[in-house]
Amino acid sequence: MPHRSIVITSPSFVEVDGLRIRIVQSPSDTGLPVLLTAPWPESIYAFNFIWEQMRGLGPVTAVDLPGFGRSESRADLMSPEAMGDFLLKVLDRLGIRRAHVVAPDVGTLAALFAASRTPERFESIVGGSGGVSLGLLGEPLRQIVESTRADFAASEGGEQVYQLVKGSARTTIPEAILEDYRASSSGQRWNEVADFARAYRRDLPRLEKLLPAIATPTLVISGKNDPFVPPSNGDFLAERMPHCRTEIVEAGHFVWEDAADTYAALVSAWISEGYRAA
C-alpha cells in the first residue's frame, strides 16, 4: 500500500446560517469554482490524496457539511432534502454563483435535491458512493437506515469510525487524518448524524420522482466492491436522469482514497471537458 503525506493544510471556519462550517480553499484566477463536500463518516481530509489534482481545475473549496467532519451540527438539517437547501446557502456564503460540485457519499443526495430546485447553480455534479434507492442499499447501510438512536446509544462513534476506515481503506491513510475522522464522530456525534441516513426512508422516494427532471450533467463514480452502496445505485441514477454517466472503479466504499489516482483522473477529465458530452 502506497504511503501518502498530508497535503491539505490550514482549514478554517466560516459561519453559514448560524453554524461554524469548516472549509479549506485553494484560490485560483481561472476556471469555474469547484466545491467538494466531505463524505461520511470522514471529513474534508478525505480529499487529501486528490487535492493537488483538484487544485489544477480552478478555485477549489472543500467543505464539511453540518454534522459531518468538524462542522457544527443542527438536528433539522439531518436529512438529504434539508441538506440540499443548506448546500445552496454554502454557495451563497462563498460567493459562488455556479460551480462544479464534487459530492461523494451523503453529498450526492444533497446535491441532487439542490440541483432539482436551482439547476442554474450547478455546472455539473460528480457523485457516487451514496445510496439512492432503499432497495439497493448494502446491508451495513440498510441496518443504519432502519436503526434508531437507541440502537447505538452505547457506542463510541469515534473509535468505531477509526477502526472502520483504517481496516477498510486499501491505502495507508496518515494517522493524523484518521484522528480527524475519529474526532469528527466522537461520542454520540456519529449516532446523531446517522439521522441523515435514517431520513432515507422518507427522502429517497421523493428524490426518485425528481430525477427525470434533473438535467445537470452528472458523473457517478462507484466502487466495484462497495459493501455499503453497490454500483447498482449508479445505474439507478443513470436510468432515470437524462444526462448521467457512470464509472465503476476497482475499489471499496472509499473510492477517493482506495483508488485516488483513478478517481482524480476521472473527476479532472469530467470537469475539464467530459461533462459537456453528457
Coordinates of all heavy atoms in Angstrom, one line a residue, residues 122-179:
F122 N -25.5 24.8 -10.8 CA -24.7 23.7 -10.9 C -24.2 23.5 -12.4 O -25.1 23.3 -13.3 CB -25.4 22.4 -10.5 CG -25.8 22.4 -9.0 CD1 -26.9 23.1 -8.5 CD2 -24.9 21.7 -8.1 CE1 -27.2 23.1 -7.2 CE2 -25.2 21.7 -6.8 CZ -26.3 22.4 -6.3
E123 N -23.0 23.6 -12.6 CA -22.4 23.4 -13.9 C -22.4 21.9 -14.2 O -22.7 21.4 -15.3 CB -21.0 23.9 -14.1 CG -20.4 23.8 -15.4 CD -20.9 24.8 -16.5 OE1 -21.8 25.6 -16.1 OE2 -20.5 24.7 -17.6
S124 N -22.0 21.1 -13.2 CA -22.1 19.7 -13.2 C -22.0 19.1 -11.8 O -21.7 19.9 -10.8 CB -20.9 19.1 -14.1 OG -19.7 19.1 -13.3
I125 N -22.3 17.8 -11.7 CA -22.2 17.1 -10.4 C -21.4 15.9 -10.6 O -21.5 15.2 -11.6 CB -23.6 16.8 -9.8 CG1 -24.4 18.0 -9.5 CG2 -23.5 15.8 -8.6 CD1 -25.9 17.7 -9.2
V126 N -20.5 15.6 -9.6 CA -19.8 14.3 -9.5 C -20.3 13.7 -8.2 O -20.0 14.2 -7.1 CB -18.3 14.4 -9.5 CG1 -17.7 13.0 -9.4 CG2 -17.8 15.1 -10.8
G127 N -21.0 12.5 -8.3 CA -21.5 11.9 -7.1 C -21.0 10.4 -7.0 O -20.0 10.1 -7.6
G128 N -21.7 9.6 -6.3 CA -21.4 8.2 -6.1 C -21.1 7.9 -4.7 O -20.9 8.7 -3.9
S129 N -21.2 6.6 -4.4 CA -21.0 6.0 -3.0 C -22.0 6.5 -2.1 O -21.9 6.5 -0.9 CB -19.6 6.4 -2.5 OG -18.6 5.9 -3.3
G130 N -23.1 7.0 -2.7 CA -24.3 7.5 -1.9 C -25.5 6.7 -2.2 O -25.9 6.6 -3.4
G131 N -26.2 6.1 -1.3 CA -27.3 5.2 -1.6 C -28.5 6.1 -2.1 O -28.9 7.1 -1.4
V132 N -29.1 5.7 -3.2 CA -30.2 6.5 -3.8 C -31.5 5.7 -3.9 O -32.5 6.3 -4.2 CB -29.8 7.0 -5.2 CG1 -28.6 8.0 -5.0 CG2 -29.4 5.9 -6.1
S133 N -31.5 4.4 -3.6 CA -32.7 3.7 -3.6 C -32.7 2.7 -2.4 O -31.7 2.0 -2.2 CB -32.8 2.9 -4.9 OG -33.9 1.9 -4.8
L134 N -33.8 2.7 -1.7 CA -33.9 1.8 -0.5 C -33.6 0.4 -0.8 O -33.0 -0.4 0.0 CB -35.3 2.0 0.2 CG -35.5 3.4 0.8 CD1 -37.0 3.5 1.3 CD2 -34.6 3.6 2.0
G135 N -34.1 -0.1 -2.0 CA -33.9 -1.5 -2.3 C -32.5 -1.8 -2.8 O -32.2 -3.0 -3.0
L136 N -31.6 -0.9 -3.0 CA -30.3 -1.1 -3.5 C -29.2 -0.9 -2.5 O -28.0 -0.9 -2.8 CB -30.1 -0.3 -4.7 CG -31.0 -0.5 -5.9 CD1 -30.7 0.5 -7.0 CD2 -30.9 -1.9 -6.4
L137 N -29.6 -0.6 -1.2 CA -28.6 -0.3 -0.2 C -27.9 -1.6 0.2 O -28.5 -2.6 0.3 CB -29.2 0.3 1.0 CG -30.1 1.6 0.8 CD1 -30.6 2.1 2.2 CD2 -29.2 2.7 0.1
G138 N -26.6 -1.5 0.5 CA -25.8 -2.6 1.0 C -26.3 -2.9 2.4 O -26.8 -2.0 3.1
E139 N -26.1 -4.1 2.9 CA -26.6 -4.5 4.2 C -26.1 -3.6 5.4 O -26.9 -3.2 6.2 CB -26.3 -5.9 4.5 CG -26.8 -6.5 5.8 CD -28.3 -6.4 5.9 OE1 -29.0 -6.3 4.8 OE2 -28.9 -6.5 7.0
P140 N -24.8 -3.2 5.4 CA -24.4 -2.3 6.5 C -25.1 -1.0 6.6 O -25.5 -0.5 7.6 CB -22.9 -2.2 6.3 CG -22.5 -3.3 5.5 CD -23.7 -3.6 4.6
L141 N -25.4 -0.4 5.4 CA -26.1 0.9 5.3 C -27.6 0.7 5.6 O -28.2 1.5 6.3 CB -25.9 1.5 4.0 CG -26.6 2.9 3.8 CD1 -26.2 3.9 4.8 CD2 -26.3 3.4 2.4
R142 N -28.1 -0.4 5.1 CA -29.5 -0.7 5.4 C -29.8 -0.8 6.9 O -30.8 -0.3 7.4 CB -30.0 -2.0 4.7 CG -31.5 -2.2 4.8 CD -31.8 -3.6 4.3 NE -31.2 -4.7 5.2 CZ -31.7 -5.0 6.4 NH1 -32.8 -4.4 6.9 NH2 -31.1 -5.9 7.1
Q143 N -28.9 -1.4 7.6 CA -29.1 -1.5 9.1 C -29.1 -0.1 9.7 O -29.8 0.1 10.7 CB -28.0 -2.4 9.6 CG -28.1 -3.8 9.2 CD -27.0 -4.7 9.8 OE1 -26.2 -4.3 10.7 NE2 -26.9 -6.0 9.4
I144 N -28.2 0.8 9.3 CA -28.2 2.1 9.8 C -29.5 2.8 9.5 O -30.1 3.5 10.4 CB -27.0 2.9 9.3 CG1 -25.7 2.3 9.8 CG2 -27.1 4.4 9.8 CD1 -24.5 2.9 9.1
V145 N -30.0 2.7 8.3 CA -31.2 3.4 7.9 C -32.4 2.9 8.7 O -33.3 3.7 9.1 CB -31.5 3.1 6.4 CG1 -32.9 3.6 6.0 CG2 -30.4 3.8 5.5
E146 N -32.4 1.6 9.0 CA -33.5 1.1 9.8 C -33.4 1.2 11.3 O -34.2 0.7 12.1 CB -33.7 -0.4 9.4 CG -34.2 -0.5 7.9 CD -34.3 -2.0 7.5 OE1 -34.0 -2.9 8.3 OE2 -34.8 -2.2 6.3
S147 N -32.3 1.7 11.8 CA -32.0 1.8 13.2 C -32.7 3.0 13.9 O -33.3 3.8 13.2 CB -30.5 1.9 13.4 OG -30.0 3.2 13.0
T148 N -32.5 3.0 15.2 CA -32.9 4.2 16.0 C -31.7 4.6 16.7 O -30.7 3.9 16.8 CB -34.0 3.8 17.0 OG1 -33.5 2.9 18.0 CG2 -35.2 3.2 16.3
R149 N -31.7 5.8 17.3 CA -30.6 6.2 18.1 C -30.3 5.3 19.3 O -29.2 5.1 19.7 CB -30.8 7.7 18.7 CG -30.6 8.7 17.6 CD -30.4 10.1 18.3 NE -30.5 11.2 17.4 CZ -30.3 12.4 17.7 NH1 -30.0 12.7 19.0 NH2 -30.3 13.4 16.9
A150 N -31.4 4.7 19.8 CA -31.2 3.8 21.0 C -30.3 2.6 20.6 O -29.6 2.1 21.5 CB -32.6 3.3 21.5
D151 N -30.3 2.2 19.4 CA -29.6 1.0 18.9 C -28.0 1.3 19.1 O -27.3 0.3 19.3 CB -29.9 0.7 17.5 CG -31.3 0.2 17.3 OD1 -31.8 -0.4 18.2 OD2 -31.9 0.5 16.2
F152 N -27.6 2.5 19.0 CA -26.2 2.9 19.1 C -25.9 3.7 20.3 O -24.8 4.3 20.4 CB -25.8 3.6 17.8 CG -25.9 2.7 16.6 CD1 -27.0 2.8 15.8 CD2 -24.9 1.8 16.3 CE1 -27.1 2.0 14.6 CE2 -25.0 1.0 15.1 CZ -26.1 1.1 14.3
A153 N -26.8 3.7 21.3 CA -26.6 4.6 22.4 C -25.3 4.3 23.3 O -24.7 5.1 23.9 CB -27.8 4.6 23.3
A154 N -24.9 3.0 23.2 CA -23.8 2.6 24.0 C -22.5 2.6 23.2 O -21.4 2.3 23.7 CB -24.0 1.2 24.5
S155 N -22.5 3.1 21.9 CA -21.3 3.0 21.1 C -20.5 4.3 21.2 O -21.1 5.4 21.4 CB -21.8 2.8 19.6 OG -22.5 1.6 19.5
E156 N -19.2 4.2 21.1 CA -18.3 5.3 21.0 C -18.0 5.5 19.5 O -17.3 4.8 18.9 CB -17.0 5.1 21.7 CG -16.4 6.4 22.3 CD -16.0 7.4 21.2 OE1 -15.5 6.9 20.1 OE2 -16.2 8.6 21.4
G157 N -18.7 6.5 18.9 CA -18.7 6.7 17.4 C -17.3 6.9 16.9 O -16.9 6.4 15.8
G158 N -16.4 7.7 17.6 CA -15.1 8.0 17.1 C -14.3 6.7 16.9 O -13.6 6.5 15.8
E159 N -14.2 5.9 17.9 CA -13.4 4.7 17.8 C -14.0 3.7 16.7 O -13.2 3.1 16.0 CB -13.4 3.9 19.1 CG -12.6 2.6 19.2 CD -11.1 2.9 18.9 OE1 -10.6 4.0 19.0 OE2 -10.5 1.9 18.5
Q160 N -15.3 3.7 16.6 CA -15.9 2.8 15.6 C -15.5 3.3 14.2 O -15.2 2.4 13.3 CB -17.5 3.0 15.8 CG -18.3 2.4 14.8 CD -19.8 2.6 15.1 OE1 -20.4 2.1 16.0 NE2 -20.4 3.5 14.3
V161 N -15.5 4.6 13.9 CA -15.1 5.1 12.6 C -13.7 4.9 12.4 O -13.2 4.5 11.3 CB -15.5 6.6 12.5 CG1 -14.9 7.2 11.3 CG2 -17.1 6.7 12.4
Y162 N -12.8 5.2 13.4 CA -11.4 5.0 13.2 C -11.1 3.6 12.8 O -10.3 3.4 11.8 CB -10.7 5.3 14.6 CG -9.2 5.1 14.6 CD1 -8.3 6.1 14.3 CD2 -8.7 3.8 14.8 CE1 -7.0 5.9 14.3 CE2 -7.3 3.6 14.9 CZ -6.5 4.7 14.6 OH -5.1 4.5 14.6
Q163 N -11.6 2.6 13.4 CA -11.4 1.2 13.1 C -12.0 0.8 11.7 O -11.3 0.1 11.0 CB -11.9 0.3 14.2 CG -11.3 0.4 15.5 CD -9.8 0.1 15.5 OE1 -9.3 -0.6 14.6 NE2 -9.1 0.7 16.5
L164 N -13.1 1.4 11.4 CA -13.8 1.1 10.1 C -12.9 1.5 9.0 O -12.6 0.8 8.0 CB -15.1 1.7 10.0 CG -15.8 1.7 8.6 CD1 -16.1 0.3 8.2 CD2 -17.0 2.6 8.6
V165 N -12.5 2.8 9.0 CA -11.7 3.4 7.9 C -10.3 2.7 7.8 O -9.8 2.4 6.7 CB -11.6 4.9 8.0 CG1 -10.8 5.5 6.9 CG2 -13.0 5.5 8.0
K166 N -9.7 2.6 9.0 CA -8.3 2.0 9.0 C -8.3 0.6 8.5 O -7.4 0.2 7.7 CB -7.7 2.1 10.4 CG -6.3 1.6 10.5 CD -5.7 1.8 11.8 CE -4.2 1.5 11.9 NZ -3.6 1.7 13.2
G167 N -9.4 -0.1 8.8 CA -9.5 -1.5 8.4 C -10.0 -1.8 7.0 O -9.7 -2.8 6.4
S168 N -10.7 -0.8 6.4 CA -11.4 -0.9 5.1 C -10.6 -0.3 4.0 O -10.7 -0.8 2.9 CB -12.8 -0.4 5.2 OG -13.6 -1.0 6.2
A169 N -9.9 0.8 4.3 CA -9.2 1.5 3.2 C -8.1 0.7 2.6 O -7.4 -0.1 3.3 CB -8.7 2.8 3.7
R170 N -7.9 0.8 1.3 CA -7.0 -0.1 0.6 C -5.6 0.7 0.4 O -4.8 0.2 -0.3 CB -7.5 -0.5 -0.7 CG -8.8 -1.3 -0.6 CD -9.3 -1.8 -2.0 NE -10.5 -2.5 -1.9 CZ -11.1 -3.2 -2.9 NH1 -10.5 -3.1 -4.1 NH2 -12.2 -3.8 -2.7
T171 N -5.4 1.8 1.1 CA -4.2 2.5 1.0 C -3.9 2.9 2.5 O -4.7 2.9 3.3 CB -4.2 3.7 0.1 OG1 -2.9 4.2 -0.1 CG2 -5.2 4.8 0.7
T172 N -2.7 3.4 2.7 CA -2.3 3.8 4.0 C -2.7 5.2 4.3 O -2.2 6.1 3.6 CB -0.8 3.6 4.2 OG1 -0.4 2.3 4.0 CG2 -0.4 4.1 5.6
I173 N -3.6 5.5 5.2 CA -4.0 6.8 5.5 C -3.2 7.4 6.7 O -3.1 6.7 7.7 CB -5.5 6.8 5.8 CG1 -6.3 6.3 4.6 CG2 -6.0 8.2 6.2 CD1 -7.8 6.1 4.9
P174 N -2.7 8.6 6.6 CA -1.9 9.1 7.7 C -2.6 9.1 9.0 O -3.8 9.4 9.0 CB -1.6 10.5 7.2 CG -1.6 10.5 5.7 CD -2.7 9.5 5.4
E175 N -1.9 8.8 10.1 CA -2.6 8.7 11.4 C -3.3 10.0 11.8 O -4.4 10.0 12.4 CB -1.5 8.4 12.4 CG -2.1 8.0 13.8 CD -2.9 6.7 13.8 OE1 -2.7 5.9 12.9 OE2 -3.8 6.6 14.7
A176 N -2.7 11.2 11.4 CA -3.4 12.4 11.8 C -4.7 12.6 11.1 O -5.6 13.2 11.7 CB -2.4 13.6 11.4
I177 N -4.9 12.0 9.9 CA -6.1 12.1 9.2 C -7.1 11.1 9.9 O -8.3 11.5 10.1 CB -6.0 11.8 7.7 CG1 -5.2 12.9 7.0 CG2 -7.3 11.6 7.0 CD1 -5.0 12.8 5.6
L178 N -6.7 10.0 10.2 CA -7.5 9.0 10.9 C -8.0 9.6 12.2 O -9.2 9.4 12.6 CB -6.8 7.7 11.2 CG -6.5 6.8 10.0 CD1 -5.6 5.7 10.4 CD2 -7.8 6.3 9.4
E179 N -7.2 10.4 12.9 CA -7.6 11.0 14.2 C -8.6 12.1 13.9 O -9.5 12.3 14.7 CB -6.4 11.6 14.9 CG -5.5 10.5 15.5 CD -6.2 9.7 16.6 OE1 -7.2 10.2 17.2 OE2 -5.8 8.5 16.8

